[in-house]
Amino acid sequence: MLVLRPRSAAGAAFFTRQCTAKAKPVSLTADQVRNVARLARLGLDDDQIAEYAGELSNILDVVASLEKADTTDVEPMAHPLDLAARLRADRAVPVTDRDDFQAIAPATAEGVYLVPKVIE
Amino acid sequence: MSHDRSIRDMVAAVAAGKTSAAELTTRYLDRIAAHDETLNTLISGCADTARERAAAIDSGAAADTPLAGLPIAHKDIFCMRGTRTSCGSRMLDNFVAPYDATVVERLAAAGTVTLGKTNMDEFAMGSSNETSFYGPVRNPWNTDYVPGGSSGGSAAAVAAGLVPAATGTDTGGSIRQPAALCGVTGIKPTYGRVSRYGMIAFASSLDQGGCFARSADDCAHVLQAMAGFDERDSTCVEREVPDYVGALGDQGDDYLKGMRVGLPKEYFAEGLDDASRQVIDAAIAEFEARGAEIVEITLPHTELAVSTYYVLAPAEASSNLARFDGVRYGYRCENPVDLEDLYTRSRGEGFGREVQRRIMVGAYVLSAGYYDAYYLKAQKTRRLIAQDFTNAFENVDLIAAPVTQAPAFKLGEKLDDPVSMYLNDVYTLPASLAGLPGMSVPAGFVDGLPVGLQLLAPWFEEARLLGAAHAYQQTTDWHTKRPAGFE
């Protein structure tokens, strides 16, 4: 279950109301967290995985209260202003030159970015 | 010239030759030197370039600009050419921006002098400024307490008088909450009002630049220079910017007369600390005394805001932060054995814990099998929350509410408990999700810690927010208070 330290009894009541209206607490396993970390390309050790499993489960527990909202016939809102994408002329505009960008790169040579060998 | 003068007075004094940009710059740099070791509001100082710039302005370099000679600081999320732009992260500790953000460019063109880049929660993810790679900012009202976040450095710097104004960004409350906790005035404009170009992205459908200063009138001066269409940000809105500064200058004493101010009952329900509530009640009574009509309203989907936000913001963050891969800029791990190792170790070592948590929450809610249940569902509840405001603004001109449930908490108190930290944002998240403009206005104190009054207006009605806050500040003096030791 969640371990919470709200500032006040009233805060606790608010929180409990938010988090209890669901079937069962979300509990991520270490393997699930390892999979998410892999998807996100985050290199984590086993201790970190274990800590994150608990923390992410707590967060997803809060988020699970979305389930109870009635969203029948509600259009998803991707953008706060519901505007159509603005179009612009397809023309070249000057940008910072390559040397400026490559000056801050970890490793470059002759105008390319260097990474470990990817093809044997 | 005192650091307590208004921006209006300062720029007029520079223009009239009664003071100089150099004098103002030196005055504030001296205050930074005296106090910032304690407060840690700045990640990078720009003293040398600031002095050069001030000297150039005194030689006529910014003639006829509206803010000539005004010292400011930028949140370290805004790219500033030739200056480290860290976003509070080890990942960008070595990142020297190759270009200026539009906000930086416009404020420079308006004649400001940048004194430094302010501390912040890492990638703007946090509500206490404790997730910064550069250590926490301390609240000048009590240095054992947090300044709020994520723009904690900007808020604390203005509160302590280290700068007259500073920029910030607000994704879920990151301007309003630290403004409230530090006792300064902060404005988060409508989504799309201020360009996001060169502002390091956290959650692109929510991020919005704004500013902190002592008063609404000061904020109007800074916002005036920041706001407006920019073709380099595809979500920046092509819409005329009203004359905020002129409007406040001309504003009569009866501005609030007949204004309908709604109090959302959900923001005054369980959870709100009693002492904070008394402060907010007194502020609302002042609005009423000035002729505002106070009505109760309902925003029935408020309780979905935390859940909605903590799906959508991490989802967008996990996508935005994919660009930090150790290849083109930023942190790269030592001796990567292959490309995968380069990616995973650079990101594992370069990002802090809160950022990693949010990236993983985002990756999880976007992953196959969970997308509909979390991400799509949250986009729908987002609309319900926004629709609440549309309905409310059919009957009221303005919404007034608390910014937070309680004043600042102690450093370390919530750091190990992300969920408790997230719940802290309950009053600021709904307006962010709706894209509405909002302000925090100093309204009083509880046990020596500031309390902010939140004002929300319909989309693009920043002028109304500033007008109402300015009217309130004409008959109250909370915004003029200085923390002990920083007078």
Side-chain angles (χ1 to χ4, degrees):
Chain A
M1 237 351 255
L2 294 170
V3 181
L4 295 168
R5 277 166 266 152
R7 289 181 64 85
S8 62
F14 175 85
F15 187 78
T16 308
R17 186 161 49 80
Q18 279 227 327
C19 301
T20 51
K22 57 182 172 36
K24 56 179 192 292
V26 182
S27 182
L28 291 188
T29 64
D31 277 346
Q32 283 175 301
V33 176
R34 212 168 274 123
N35 185 45
V36 173
R38 188 188 59 78
L39 290 173
R41 299 294 185 272
L42 291 171
L44 304 175
D45 62 31
D46 286 348
D47 288 347
Q48 290 173 305
I49 295 281
E51 283 173 14
Y52 281 132
E55 291 168 0
L56 298 187
S57 298
N58 288 352
I59 294 166
L60 292 173
D61 243 348
V62 173
V63 162
S65 68
L66 286 179
E67 273 174 38
K68 68 183 174 185
D70 181 1
T71 52
T72 316
D73 298 330
V74 177
E75 276 291 302
M77 181 174 168
H79 188 274
L81 302 177
D82 281 336
L83 294 175
R86 193 175 63 242
L87 302 177
R88 61 172 171 75
D90 183 18
R91 60 181 163 82
V93 291
V95 292
T96 307
D97 72 31
R98 189 171 67 181
D99 292 345
D100 276 3
F101 280 111
Q102 295 209 326
I104 53 170
T108 60
E110 296 170 15
V112 300
Y113 293 94
L114 298 183
V115 294
K117 201 164 158 184
V118 287
I119 300 167
E120 292 302 328
Chain B
M1 168 170 271
S2 156
H3 61 277
D4 269 334
R5 298 284 294 275
S6 69
I7 289 178
R8 199 179 280 268
D9 286 355
M10 275 190 266
V11 296
V14 173
K18 291 179 183 159
T19 186
S20 64
E23 196 181 320
L24 284 177
T25 296
T26 300
R27 163 114 210 157
Y28 284 98
L29 286 175
D30 288 349
R31 289 188 62 79
I32 290 169
H35 296 296
D36 208 43
E37 203 163 321
T38 311
L39 297 176
N40 197 28
T41 66
L42 295 183
I43 290 175
S44 306
C46 314
D48 293 342
T49 49
R51 286 183 211 281
E52 284 168 25
R53 165 90 173 139
I57 289 170
D58 288 331
S59 305
D64 301 323
T65 58
L67 302 177
L70 179 74
I72 58 162
H74 286 298
K75 185 177 183 180
D76 207 21
I77 198 168
F78 289 104
C79 288
M80 199 164 114
R81 189 180 170 89
T83 304
R84 175 174 62 180
T85 299
S86 75
C87 221
S89 181
R90 182 184 192 190
M91 183 60 86
L92 291 177
D93 183 51
N94 62 3
F95 177 69
V96 176
Y99 62 96
D100 279 333
T102 297
V103 161
V104 168
E105 193 178 272
R106 287 194 178 170
L107 280 166
T112 63
V113 177
T114 304
L115 304 190
K117 303 292 295 291
T118 61
N119 204 344
M120 55 182 286
D121 279 299
E122 185 180 4
F123 284 102
M125 298 177 195
S127 308
S128 68
N129 220 116
E130 294 171 288
T131 72
S132 170
F133 176 60
Y134 302 91
V137 173
R138 291 176 180 273
N139 190 320
W141 291 95
N142 183 331
T143 53
D144 292 334
Y145 285 74
V146 303
S150 66
S151 314
S154 291
V158 171
L162 309 189
V163 279
T167 56
T169 59
D170 191 313
T171 302
S174 285
I175 289 176
R176 290 161 288 157
Q177 187 254 20
L181 270 43
C182 288
V184 300
T185 306
I187 183 162
K188 170 226 180 273
T190 310
Y191 180 86
R193 178 95 275 184
V194 169
S195 171
R196 295 186 296 110
Y197 179 78
M199 187 175 114
I200 295 171
F202 158 18
S204 305
S205 81
L206 295 156
D207 297 341
Q208 178 60 202
C211 60
F212 298 88
R214 301 294 298 288
S215 66
D217 191 56
D218 285 359
C219 282
H221 281 76
V222 180
L223 183 62
Q224 193 81 62
M226 294 170 73
F229 177 64
D230 174 18
E231 66 177 7
R232 294 176 296 185
D233 169 6
S234 65
T235 59
C236 193
V237 174
E238 200 163 1
R239 192 174 170 127
E240 197 182 337
V241 179
D243 181 2
Y244 304 128
V245 171
L248 294 191
D250 297 340
Q251 186 167 304
D253 293 339
D254 60 349
Y255 186 81
L256 294 173
K257 196 167 167 40
M259 186 175 278
R260 286 173 65 84
V261 178
L263 309 183
K265 65 179 186 186
E266 293 80 6
Y267 289 54
F268 293 86
E270 52 193 329
L272 178 60
D273 158 68
D274 283 341
S276 297
R277 187 194 172 117
Q278 285 172 25
V279 168
I280 300 300
D281 285 347
I284 289 160
E286 179 64 24
F287 273 73
E288 198 166 19
R290 302 283 301 281
E293 189 186 337
I294 309 297
V295 292
E296 186 182 275
I297 59 168
T298 177
L299 299 168
H301 296 97
T302 298
E303 69 171 352
L304 294 171
V306 172
S307 320
T308 303
Y309 180 86
Y310 282 99
V311 170
L312 297 180
E316 294 188 25
S318 76
S319 172
N320 273 323
L321 272 59
R323 72 190 62 172
F324 302 103
D325 57 5
V327 174
R328 291 152 301 146
Y329 49 82
Y331 180 81
R332 173 181 283 200
C333 65
E334 295 283 339
N335 307 317
V337 298
D338 57 22
L339 192 58
E340 189 71 12
D341 185 45
L342 185 153
Y343 292 151
T344 56
R345 268 202 299 129
S346 296
R347 292 166 61 80
E349 295 166 10
F351 290 133
R353 191 171 174 139
E354 178 61 21
V355 172
Q356 292 187 341
R357 267 197 289 264
R358 295 206 197 185
I359 287 174
M360 285 193 285
V361 169
Y364 181 81
V365 300
L366 289 174
S367 60
Y370 297 102
Y371 181 90
D372 285 1
Y374 288 108
Y375 187 69
L376 198 64
K377 182 77 177 182
Q379 285 194 317
K380 291 177 180 176
T381 52
R382 181 179 190 176
R383 186 172 299 280
L384 294 174
I385 291 162
Q387 189 62 43
D388 282 354
F389 286 105
T390 305
N391 297 342
F393 283 125
E394 281 174 14
N395 298 308
V396 297
D397 303 307
L398 201 67
I399 291 173
V403 179
T404 57
Q405 295 186 325
F409 46 92
K410 279 193 166 159
L411 284 156
E413 189 179 312
K414 299 188 185 199
L415 195 56
D416 297 329
D417 185 359
V419 166
S420 146
M421 192 79 88
Y422 295 175
L423 292 169
N424 201 44
D425 302 335
V426 61
Y427 300 149
T428 52
L429 296 176
S432 292
L433 290 162
L436 289 168
M439 280 186 86
S440 177
V441 182
F445 293 85
V446 169
D447 298 332
L449 293 167
V451 174
L453 171 72
Q454 183 170 211
L455 299 176
L456 302 173
W459 292 267
F460 297 102
E461 295 293 345
E462 287 80 8
R464 190 183 301 167
L465 281 181
L466 290 164
H470 181 66
Y472 175 71
Q473 290 178 339
Q474 296 311 293
T475 52
T476 57
D477 62 359
W478 303 112
H479 63 292
T480 67
K481 307 284 186 200
R482 280 284 187 208
F486 301 95
E487 294 90 349

